[in-house]
Amino acid sequence: MDLKALNRRHFLRMGGAVGCCAAASPLVAPVAMASAPWDQRLVVIVLRGGMDGLDVLRPHGDPELARLRQRWLAPDALEGMRDLDGFFGLHPALDGLWPLWQAGELGFAHAVSTPYRDKRSHFDGQDLLEAGMPDLAGLSAPRDGWLNRMLQQVPGLQAETAFSIGQENMLMLRGAADVSNWAPDAGFRLSPQGQRLLQAVYEEDAAFHEALEEAIALMSEIEADEVSEVPDDDMTAMSEMMAVSKGDRRVLDMVEFLVGRLRRETRIAAFSIAGWDTHRNQNMLLSRALGQLSETILALKVGLGPLWSKTAVVAMTEFGRTARENGTRGTDHGTGGAMLFAGGAIRGGKVHGHWPGLGADELYAGRDLMPTADVRAYAAAVMREHLGFSRPVLEEAVFPRLDMGDIRGVIA
């Protein structure tokens, strides 16, 4: 690389390589974004680790649940469960989302899964979820993701200018369509002492000294941009989001960045939240993960303001967990699970899907919630009803060999 030609993009990449070994938190992965010609917003959240849908959205109306979970995960083990419809109850850690349910801005689908079966590997399950393929055979390189294939159907799509700092796009947004990438907490910052040290070290190297001076100037410019280029209404939204969030500041940083882009050119965004693998101490770990998800959704609602009415949020996981609790106060990798919908654009206040039951002869392989619908079909229904894609495009190009069946009515 010609050091004299060092530009903003080169500098940011260099900063990522030199100073951003811990660019992304262990709970939040990079945010990938793309602009599109429609005005609706779609946010997809991957819940990495296998969320226990039977605990998040408790079928307390099924008497078999109490038989399968008699001790630590008994239906009444945690106080404060909200009854949703007489059959399903909301985990107490999602109580902050209760007003969204009442307002018709929160919904669920139960007994769903990808086509992945039996091996129950996080890596394979997440790959299949993000690729949107019918089986693992479709994941041979080069791989792309279903959100990217959707974007490939939009003529003249252009990516928003954003950051790419040492990390690749999520598989879900990887492919031929051009998208942008950003990682929370990523940046290259030098203290004044560090700047003086580098300037002294490279004082005799004319080429690098010149590049270093330009880099330092660019850092100052970027820092100024981060403050001066934020409109007053965005600053107000961010202040309100600060008041909503009580948890990890890194998550709030991610949501702030995301909201700032969604309020401008960005229409499609995807990111992931980890922490859903609850083999042990599920009550504590799941409550923590759900609290983070709840704060993220509430911060999006507050930050987007009027745009919330044009927004659909879809949260999905690679697989559910065993119907029975295990001996370590948790659950193991399973099959059927639940997915969540939020936003002013969705038709909330409803649990979608066909309930298969939890009887011994109703479980998948005698151990898991039986899937009765494909998560891809619900994602496709959102794209059809919210973004206007046709059923043939969704079933053939976006999700190869998918049959959407009669799934509809996810969007208001």
Side-chain angles (χ1 to χ4, degrees), residues 144-188:
D144 60 5
W146 59 267
L147 266 182
N148 193 280
R149 292 195 297 273
M150 180 199 77
L151 295 173
Q152 292 173 36
Q153 309 305 311
V154 184
L157 180 72
Q158 300 206 0
E160 174 189 324
T161 300
F163 299 94
S164 179
I165 304 183
Q167 303 201 36
E168 296 180 353
N169 287 344
M170 296 173 64
L171 172 57
M172 187 178 291
L173 265 168
R174 190 185 307 162
D178 193 15
V179 300
S180 300
N181 210 24
W182 178 84
D185 294 335
F188 179 51

Side-chain angles (χ1 to χ4, degrees), residues 242-410:
M242 292 263 309
V244 168
S245 179
K246 300 175 182 177
D248 196 328
R249 170 70 206 194
R250 293 168 295 183
V251 177
L252 182 59
D253 288 343
M254 179 271 297
V255 176
E256 284 180 355
F257 183 87
L258 176 57
V259 164
R261 296 308 181 269
L262 289 171
R263 291 168 69 98
R264 297 180 181 85
E265 298 87 357
T266 298
R267 298 294 180 269
I268 306 295
F271 61 93
S272 63
I273 300 177
W276 306 89
D277 197 12
T278 53
H279 292 285
R280 301 173 183 272
N281 300 321
Q282 180 163 310
N283 285 336
M284 178 187 70
L285 295 177
L286 185 61
S287 293
R288 180 188 303 165
L290 287 172
Q292 193 135 67
L293 177 62
S294 176
E295 286 192 2
T296 299
I297 292 172
L298 291 174
L300 282 171
K301 174 180 171 66
V302 171
L304 289 173
L307 290 176
W308 179 249
S309 66
K310 302 178 181 180
T311 299
V313 179
V314 179
M316 53 179 64
T317 192
E318 65 262 35
F319 44 64
R321 306 193 72 83
T322 50
R324 293 177 181 84
E325 61 188 358
N326 62 25
T328 55
R329 303 177 182 242
T331 51
D332 299 316
H333 298 176
T335 308
M339 60 191 302
L340 175 150
F341 310 99
I346 73 151
R347 179 172 291 147
K350 179 178 181 180
V351 178
H352 299 266
H354 172 68
W355 183 248
L358 293 173
D361 59 347
E362 296 170 321
L363 297 175
Y364 178 80
R367 68 194 294 278
D368 303 337
L369 178 65
M370 178 73 71
T372 58
D374 194 321
V375 294
R376 300 177 303 157
Y378 280 102
V382 171
M383 290 186 286
R384 183 184 185 188
E385 299 171 0
H386 189 49
L387 305 180
F389 287 89
S390 70
R391 181 166 182 155
V393 165
L394 293 167
E395 292 183 330
E396 297 167 16
V398 178
F399 296 112
R401 305 202 303 274
L402 171 67
D403 180 1
M404 293 177 61
D406 60 355
I407 292 177
R408 60 174 64 88
V410 183

